[in-house]
Amino acid sequence: MQNAPVTSTEAHLDRLRGDVAPVNHNARTIAALTGNPGCRRRAVLDAAGVDKKAMSVHIGHPVPFGQSTFAITRGNAFEAQVKANGCAELLTMLRERLGLDIAEVAYNDLEEAGGNGSREVRHALARRMIDGAAAGVEGAGTLFDHPLLGLPIGGRTVYLEPDLIAFQVGAQFHIIEIKSFPVIDGQADGGKVAAAAVQSAVYVLALRRLFEELGHDPQRVSHNVILVCPENFSNRPVATLLDVRRQLTVLKRQLSRLRRVDELLATLDPGLTFDLGVRDGTATRPAGEVVAALGEVEARYSPDCLDMCELSYFCRAEARGTTHALGRTVREELGGIEFVDTALRLAEGRLAPTVELAETAHALRTALRMRTECLS
Amino acid sequence: MDVFPAVMQDFLHGDRPGVVVDSPPGAGKSTLVKRVATHLAGAGEPLAIVAQTNEQVDDLVAGIAAAAPDSQVGRLSRDGYLASARVAGHRNVVVDSKMGNLTGSAVVISTAAKWATVTDGSWPWAIVDEAYQMRSDALLRIAGRFERTLFVGDPGQLDPFSVVETERWAGLSWDPQQSAMAVLLAHNPSIKPHRLEVSWRLPATAAPVVSEAFYPYTPFTSGTGPEDRSLFFRTRAFGKSTVDYSLETAAATGWALHELPRRQTLRTDAEVARACAQLATRLLERSAVAVSEKAPDGAPVTADRIAIGTAHRDQAAAVRAHLPADTGITVDTANRLQGREYDVTIVWHPLSGRRDATAFHLESGRLCVLTSRHRHACVVVARAGIPDLLDAHPSTGRMYLNEAVKFPDGWEANQAVLAHLSEHRVPA
Amino acid sequence: MTALTALARAIAVREERAQPLTTVRHVHIGARPLVFVPLALAGEANAPLAALVGDDRAAPHLLVVPQPRNRAQRFAFAAELGHLVLDYLRSFTHFREDVPINRGREVRQRFSDAPQLIVPNPAGVAFTRLLGRSTRLRRTDGPYAVDPVVPLLGRWLTFLAERAEHPGSSLMVAMTRALSMHWATGQSSTEDANLAALLGWIAPPEGRSPVEAAADAEDADLWPPAGPATDPTFDNEILSPAIARHERDPRHFDGLRKVLNSQLEPTWHLMWRGIDVLGGLSPGASVAERWADDRDSFTNYVTYLAGDNPLPQARRDSATAAARRLSTMERAQNVYDVQRAMDDPLVMAEYRLGGEAFAGTVTYAAPDRIDASSGRRKLRPQILVHTDDPLRLTPGATVSDRSRPKQKAVIVRVSTLDSGGYEVQLELSGGMGNSLVAPPGSVPAVGERLTYSALDAAFRQPDRFPANEETPWTHGGPPQQYVPTNDDAVEDWS
């Protein structure tokens, strides 16, 4: 459920998005907020819940993000295996590998709330069950699969796709994150671990918030997340503790910035909208208008965006000829000059530098002189 | 509270072969090392001391030679080493490049690199100084020579580095690219570090800021109160410039942020370089006087009591180019300022003029070293816009399983320092 | 990234073609490299799916795992690859050369050439490393016996992948890395990771401009990814049905092979084009020396494997092994950096731009200057050099010029010239014989152009480390010696 707009900010965001339901957030999209927090375009579009993927297709710059059926199959199979028989394999491993003293176990799957799958009902169920467990109600459970948690994002509460298990041992609650990338001889891909850590941190934050609402100590939700991955080349799960304190700090700060989205909105033309004019599933608004609307909000493109953002191919095309397109370090080495052509003309002495650029121009001329000298 | 008795008890009689002492900036680490060394030398027990740089070794040699005038102090050096003035002045110091010629010494002091070339002999007692600056592989090469070792160091300093980039050892408890202290503590969780908790260097204006930003889990205080230290100028400024405003702000509050207009610049931003040089020379021109518990009547802040700290060597060179030759003012990078102390420091903020932060520029140890060298005041020079840069910083780094997360995070530490500096801002 | 590289990228944008970053080639390119283009099944831990491999561009071997989740088929793939790779490796063990050691008093031998494995990208190196890890610990007898070539392949792939990390080694090369070391494109390094795009900027296909070729490269239908990851759309729409068809009816094997070959073949051709392009550059002066190190390393490993009970590489380095390896790599990195700068003025220019080196012309020379200040008369010529470089070296720094490696020059004074640039006063020692008169040519003459730098490639004694059994308590104490266990040998590969 998205709450009905009650503030002018929410009304403004709804206007920006147009006559469609907002795109749901999940831990991955929230984690992505930390990927390029300086991008105003992304901040506005995400706050408004605009479907960036549909937009990128409509304006002719689709991103080739896709998931292989093999990867999906493997991920599902691994998760199913770990969770089979009330998470039997998972529990064995937590006892053996992490030396956790888990006596009795009750497994609760909160995915289907007695057949009523609405978000409100599922969230209420998750609240009730976790409240009971936190309060120490007997038989309240140890493992809570698929609890539907909420988190306020940019002024409204969004529900998170519940790809997690909350796990109680002693008075502590841990998030268990199941991922299908392998841990080989104790090592895993640094990028994938980092991504898993931010996503788990989103859940830690949401669970802590729930604890706070329910009057429990939020610190009972541990900053140590239990990451479960296949070990070596097998399907056997292995658990590793992941300290996500850093990720929590970053997330909290970026979420609090998102709360100030109205400052961003105040700079926009009140008539601006990213509505694609979808009629019967087809976008009808001329692509040129959408592109013009995008141009109203500044992007902060860097090539890192290509892996992270559905609009990145559009932003890249837009950045052609600028030093942004060549990457952060190139831009830095060129003294932060906006356009490639400017940098070159300064280097060649064909453009007289302003006072501010005198130093950069001098360095560029020296570099070009050396390059020319070495290549002649 | 004096931790010396507890450290000594643990060192002499503890059940672990190692004792660790963590010390924040200026908390009397050198004094502790001197006391331990004097104690053992007095008892006739052979002691080996390991430091990380020749500069540090010379400091220790001079200090211990003075504190234990009746004991022979051996300085094991490389071939061709010329004893510095502070070492040569002591009659109880023997300098030699061969261990065999130092056998009569109660204490032998050398760098970790030189110790690693010693092929035989073992020592019942050893002190490893600045163990957070030491790389784990350097300790691996020498730890076996010593029966009991006291490790002292400052956890807030810069991590050691390597020119080789590899993920090969990430997460291993003995990763050779980690600091010696990190590795020895990982293998010996039963060692509980002793902690020095009072900084005698940092003034009351700086200790809380540095403690909160860089030592969030191991806080410390300043040993002196707000009344114990002050800084004033013997001359007045005619028609005040922003340089004077910044200096006076720093003199009054211990801090100043000398902020130049926002601009993305080259790393060697000439205006920042000039501002750093001007602040230092103006400080001399204005005949600054520092009053402290050491000099209650005030002592002139001479050139050797002033340092300008930068992140990069080319920035240091750029600052030097704006200073007259032979001013005597120290201009160096954070790496080289580690362990040193001045009355006033001028800091080229590592993030000044940048559009993006990098792990290098965010490293908490770098800013910690730069902002914790001073006894009286610190002036930070920067382009405006750093808060935006920090907010826009993408957190897309890599993360490794079983690798201890280091605190504080550089991003957070930078936010904390900047939040404090914003109260001492002087637009230039 | 440096200012010169950034500038070269900017020029590439304007010129719409790649720009050279070096004047010579810094990797060795063998006469007969083995090209290996592997594909892995998405979602799995290094499950081989297919590969093109071979040392003849006209005749690649296509290896296919029809059901990548099938353990037996994986080992069949490893065995087939093992035979190909081992045959290739053995072909370099026929000829040896003598190497004088101990100042010529003794002689040792090394192979006169060595193998070279070339993969498309760093991910290909990682795949090779993990394939080595998943096969080297296998047993050739007992319940889970594999073809004897499988663990041998594992050891060799592990050896090669480790050399790929060794600075300056060319035994295993990632093509994108080698190309981007020599050329700057008009796109970002992120996009340079795409082999087709990178090579498109450097040597576009017939009839396409570099910019067009780079754009084409993002169309997975025209240019399938260079692996090991496959294109998800290909997986979902083509590969998945083809595997299913083959599962229902093995007669569809050729169809499956054809489908996989279609994904590999474009990259195969790119790899050889890359080899041609790199081969077209003239090698730097030190390339042969580094290749000799590689040949030593190859020779040593052949000898080790031929010895008594050779063990496979451990899962992880022990404390002493890690420290020793880091030390070796750091020494190699230093030598490699210095050699490249000495071999290549464009690399040296980076140091000049950073102020750690300077090039200039001798404006004055006192070749017969004698220093008698210490009592003994010593030949200490002095010269003045005029440079326009942004010098940051200060008096007291010791520098040398490539043409006189044995001669040290100490900077005595640096003066700024009104006309711009600097005048550097240098005092010379060494490389002039023992008399008090400098032999002709040993002291730079007026008008000579020199490049002085503080770079030093002098031989450094290897660091000493304790033996494994003497690992100190600070590093966990002596570890148990690694002996491959039964568990290792029967480890799941599923």
Side-chain angles (χ1 to χ4, degrees), chain C residues 159-187:
Chain C
F159 166 80
L160 289 167
E162 284 181 357
R163 285 301 288 186
E165 266 202 323
H166 186 84
S169 170
S170 298
L171 283 177
M172 181 167 188
V173 172
M175 182 55 80
T176 51
R177 208 184 273 157
L179 290 172
S180 14
M181 196 170 118
H182 295 89
W183 281 278
T185 66
Q187 60 188 7

CSV table of all heavy atoms in Angstrom, one decimal, chain C residues 159-187:
chain,number,residue,atom,x,y,z
C,159,PHE,N,49.1,-22.3,-11.7
C,159,PHE,CA,50.4,-21.7,-11.9
C,159,PHE,C,50.3,-20.5,-12.8
C,159,PHE,O,50.8,-19.4,-12.5
C,159,PHE,CB,51.4,-22.7,-12.5
C,159,PHE,CG,52.6,-22.2,-13.0
C,159,PHE,CD1,53.7,-21.8,-12.2
C,159,PHE,CD2,52.8,-21.9,-14.4
C,159,PHE,CE1,54.9,-21.2,-12.7
C,159,PHE,CE2,53.9,-21.4,-14.9
C,159,PHE,CZ,55.0,-21.0,-14.1
C,160,LEU,N,49.6,-20.7,-13.9
C,160,LEU,CA,49.5,-19.6,-14.9
C,160,LEU,C,48.7,-18.4,-14.3
C,160,LEU,O,49.0,-17.3,-14.5
C,160,LEU,CB,48.8,-20.1,-16.2
C,160,LEU,CG,49.7,-21.1,-17.0
C,160,LEU,CD1,48.9,-21.8,-18.1
C,160,LEU,CD2,50.9,-20.3,-17.6
C,161,ALA,N,47.6,-18.8,-13.6
C,161,ALA,CA,46.8,-17.7,-13.1
C,161,ALA,C,47.6,-16.9,-12.0
C,161,ALA,O,47.4,-15.7,-11.9
C,161,ALA,CB,45.5,-18.2,-12.5
C,162,GLU,N,48.4,-17.6,-11.3
C,162,GLU,CA,49.3,-16.9,-10.3
C,162,GLU,C,50.3,-16.0,-11.0
C,162,GLU,O,50.5,-14.8,-10.6
C,162,GLU,CB,50.0,-17.9,-9.4
C,162,GLU,CG,49.1,-18.5,-8.4
C,162,GLU,CD,49.8,-19.4,-7.4
C,162,GLU,OE1,51.0,-19.7,-7.6
C,162,GLU,OE2,49.2,-19.9,-6.5
C,163,ARG,N,50.8,-16.4,-12.1
C,163,ARG,CA,51.7,-15.6,-12.9
C,163,ARG,C,51.0,-14.4,-13.5
C,163,ARG,O,51.6,-13.3,-13.7
C,163,ARG,CB,52.4,-16.4,-14.0
C,163,ARG,CG,53.4,-17.4,-13.6
C,163,ARG,CD,54.6,-16.7,-12.9
C,163,ARG,NE,55.5,-15.9,-13.7
C,163,ARG,CZ,56.6,-15.4,-13.3
C,163,ARG,NH1,57.0,-15.6,-12.0
C,163,ARG,NH2,57.4,-14.7,-14.0
C,164,ALA,N,49.7,-14.5,-13.8
C,164,ALA,CA,49.0,-13.4,-14.3
C,164,ALA,C,49.0,-12.2,-13.3
C,164,ALA,O,48.8,-11.1,-13.7
C,164,ALA,CB,47.5,-13.8,-14.7
C,165,GLU,N,49.1,-12.5,-12.0
C,165,GLU,CA,49.2,-11.5,-11.0
C,165,GLU,C,50.6,-10.9,-10.8
C,165,GLU,O,50.7,-9.9,-10.1
C,165,GLU,CB,48.7,-12.1,-9.7
C,165,GLU,CG,47.2,-11.9,-9.4
C,165,GLU,CD,47.0,-12.0,-7.9
C,165,GLU,OE1,47.6,-12.8,-7.2
C,165,GLU,OE2,46.1,-11.2,-7.4
C,166,HIS,N,51.6,-11.6,-11.3
C,166,HIS,CA,52.9,-11.2,-11.1
C,166,HIS,C,53.3,-10.1,-12.0
C,166,HIS,O,53.2,-10.2,-13.2
C,166,HIS,CB,53.8,-12.4,-11.4
C,166,HIS,CG,55.3,-12.2,-11.0
C,166,HIS,ND1,55.7,-12.4,-9.7
C,166,HIS,CD2,56.3,-11.8,-11.8
C,166,HIS,CE1,57.0,-12.1,-9.7
C,166,HIS,NE2,57.4,-11.7,-10.9
C,167,PRO,N,53.7,-8.9,-11.4
C,167,PRO,CA,54.0,-7.8,-12.3
C,167,PRO,C,55.0,-8.0,-13.3
C,167,PRO,O,56.1,-8.5,-13.0
C,167,PRO,CB,54.5,-6.7,-11.3
C,167,PRO,CG,53.9,-7.1,-9.9
C,167,PRO,CD,53.8,-8.6,-10.0
C,168,GLY,N,54.7,-7.7,-14.6
C,168,GLY,CA,55.6,-7.8,-15.7
C,168,GLY,C,55.6,-9.2,-16.3
C,168,GLY,O,56.3,-9.4,-17.3
C,169,SER,N,54.9,-10.2,-15.8
C,169,SER,CA,54.9,-11.5,-16.4
C,169,SER,C,54.0,-11.5,-17.6
C,169,SER,O,52.9,-10.9,-17.6
C,169,SER,CB,54.5,-12.5,-15.4
C,169,SER,OG,54.2,-13.8,-16.1
C,170,SER,N,54.4,-12.3,-18.6
C,170,SER,CA,53.5,-12.4,-19.8
C,170,SER,C,53.1,-13.9,-20.0
C,170,SER,O,52.6,-14.2,-21.1
C,170,SER,CB,54.2,-11.9,-21.1
C,170,SER,OG,54.5,-10.6,-20.9
C,171,LEU,N,53.3,-14.8,-19.1
C,171,LEU,CA,52.9,-16.2,-19.3
C,171,LEU,C,51.4,-16.3,-19.5
C,171,LEU,O,50.9,-17.2,-20.2
C,171,LEU,CB,53.4,-17.0,-18.1
C,171,LEU,CG,54.9,-17.4,-18.0
C,171,LEU,CD1,55.2,-18.2,-16.8
C,171,LEU,CD2,55.3,-18.2,-19.3
C,172,MET,N,50.7,-15.5,-18.7
C,172,MET,CA,49.2,-15.4,-19.0
C,172,MET,C,48.8,-14.0,-19.1
C,172,MET,O,49.0,-13.2,-18.2
C,172,MET,CB,48.5,-16.1,-17.8
C,172,MET,CG,47.0,-16.1,-18.0
C,172,MET,SD,46.1,-17.2,-16.8
C,172,MET,CE,44.5,-17.1,-17.6
C,173,VAL,N,48.1,-13.7,-20.2
C,173,VAL,CA,47.7,-12.4,-20.5
C,173,VAL,C,46.2,-12.2,-20.7
C,173,VAL,O,45.6,-13.1,-21.3
C,173,VAL,CB,48.4,-11.9,-21.8
C,173,VAL,CG1,48.0,-10.6,-22.3
C,173,VAL,CG2,50.0,-11.9,-21.6
C,174,ALA,N,45.7,-11.2,-20.1
C,174,ALA,CA,44.3,-10.8,-20.4
C,174,ALA,C,44.3,-9.8,-21.5
C,174,ALA,O,44.9,-8.7,-21.4
C,174,ALA,CB,43.6,-10.3,-19.1
C,175,MET,N,43.6,-10.1,-22.6
C,175,MET,CA,43.7,-9.3,-23.8
C,175,MET,C,43.3,-7.8,-23.6
C,175,MET,O,44.0,-6.9,-23.9
C,175,MET,CB,42.9,-9.9,-24.9
C,175,MET,CG,43.0,-9.1,-26.3
C,175,MET,SD,44.7,-8.9,-26.9
C,175,MET,CE,45.0,-10.5,-27.6
C,176,THR,N,42.1,-7.6,-22.9
C,176,THR,CA,41.7,-6.2,-22.7
C,176,THR,C,42.7,-5.5,-21.9
C,176,THR,O,43.0,-4.3,-22.1
C,176,THR,CB,40.4,-6.2,-21.9
C,176,THR,OG1,40.4,-7.0,-20.7
C,176,THR,CG2,39.2,-6.7,-22.8
C,177,ARG,N,43.3,-6.1,-20.9
C,177,ARG,CA,44.3,-5.4,-20.0
C,177,ARG,C,45.5,-5.1,-20.9
C,177,ARG,O,46.1,-3.9,-20.8
C,177,ARG,CB,44.7,-6.4,-18.9
C,177,ARG,CG,45.2,-5.6,-17.7
C,177,ARG,CD,45.6,-6.6,-16.6
C,177,ARG,NE,44.6,-7.1,-15.8
C,177,ARG,CZ,44.6,-8.3,-15.1
C,177,ARG,NH1,45.7,-9.1,-15.2
C,177,ARG,NH2,43.7,-8.7,-14.3
C,178,ALA,N,46.0,-6.0,-21.7
C,178,ALA,CA,47.2,-5.7,-22.5
C,178,ALA,C,46.9,-4.6,-23.5
C,178,ALA,O,47.7,-3.7,-23.7
C,178,ALA,CB,47.6,-7.0,-23.3
C,179,LEU,N,45.7,-4.6,-24.1
C,179,LEU,CA,45.4,-3.6,-25.1
C,179,LEU,C,45.3,-2.2,-24.4
C,179,LEU,O,45.8,-1.2,-24.9
C,179,LEU,CB,44.1,-3.9,-25.9
C,179,LEU,CG,44.2,-5.1,-26.8
C,179,LEU,CD1,42.8,-5.4,-27.4
C,179,LEU,CD2,45.1,-4.8,-28.0
C,180,SER,N,44.6,-2.2,-23.3
C,180,SER,CA,44.4,-0.8,-22.7
C,180,SER,C,45.6,-0.3,-22.1
C,180,SER,O,45.7,0.9,-21.8
C,180,SER,CB,43.2,-0.8,-21.7
C,180,SER,OG,42.8,-2.0,-21.3
C,181,MET,N,46.6,-1.1,-21.9
C,181,MET,CA,47.9,-0.6,-21.4
C,181,MET,C,48.6,0.2,-22.6
C,181,MET,O,49.4,1.1,-22.3
C,181,MET,CB,48.7,-1.8,-21.0
C,181,MET,CG,49.9,-1.5,-20.2
C,181,MET,SD,50.4,-3.2,-19.7
C,181,MET,CE,52.0,-3.2,-20.4
C,182,HIS,N,48.3,-0.2,-23.8
C,182,HIS,CA,49.0,0.4,-24.9
C,182,HIS,C,48.2,1.5,-25.7
C,182,HIS,O,48.8,2.2,-26.4
C,182,HIS,CB,49.5,-0.7,-25.9
C,182,HIS,CG,50.5,-1.6,-25.3
C,182,HIS,ND1,50.1,-2.7,-24.6
C,182,HIS,CD2,51.8,-1.5,-25.2
C,182,HIS,CE1,51.2,-3.3,-24.1
C,182,HIS,NE2,52.3,-2.6,-24.5
C,183,TRP,N,46.9,1.5,-25.5
C,183,TRP,CA,46.1,2.5,-26.3
C,183,TRP,C,45.0,3.1,-25.4
C,183,TRP,O,44.4,2.4,-24.5
C,183,TRP,CB,45.3,1.8,-27.4
C,183,TRP,CG,46.2,1.6,-28.6
C,183,TRP,CD1,46.5,2.4,-29.6
C,183,TRP,CD2,46.8,0.3,-29.0
C,183,TRP,NE1,47.3,1.8,-30.5
C,183,TRP,CE2,47.5,0.5,-30.2
C,183,TRP,CE3,46.9,-0.9,-28.4
C,183,TRP,CZ2,48.3,-0.4,-30.8
C,183,TRP,CZ3,47.6,-1.9,-29.0
C,183,TRP,CH2,48.3,-1.7,-30.2
C,184,ALA,N,44.7,4.3,-25.6
C,184,ALA,CA,43.6,5.0,-25.0
C,184,ALA,C,42.5,5.2,-26.0
C,184,ALA,O,42.7,5.5,-27.1
C,184,ALA,CB,44.1,6.4,-24.5
C,185,THR,N,41.3,4.9,-25.6
C,185,THR,CA,40.1,5.0,-26.4
C,185,THR,C,39.4,6.3,-26.1
C,185,THR,O,39.7,6.9,-25.0
C,185,THR,CB,39.2,3.8,-26.3
C,185,THR,OG1,38.6,3.9,-24.9
C,185,THR,CG2,39.9,2.5,-26.5
C,186,GLY,N,38.4,6.6,-26.8
C,186,GLY,CA,37.5,7.7,-26.6
C,186,GLY,C,36.4,7.4,-25.7
C,186,GLY,O,35.4,8.1,-25.7
C,187,GLN,N,36.4,6.3,-25.0
C,187,GLN,CA,35.4,5.9,-24.1
C,187,GLN,C,36.0,5.7,-22.7
C,187,GLN,O,37.2,5.9,-22.5
C,187,GLN,CB,34.6,4.6,-24.5
C,187,GLN,CG,35.6,3.4,-24.7
C,187,GLN,CD,34.9,2.2,-25.4
C,187,GLN,OE1,33.8,2.3,-25.9
C,187,GLN,NE2,35.6,1.1,-25.4
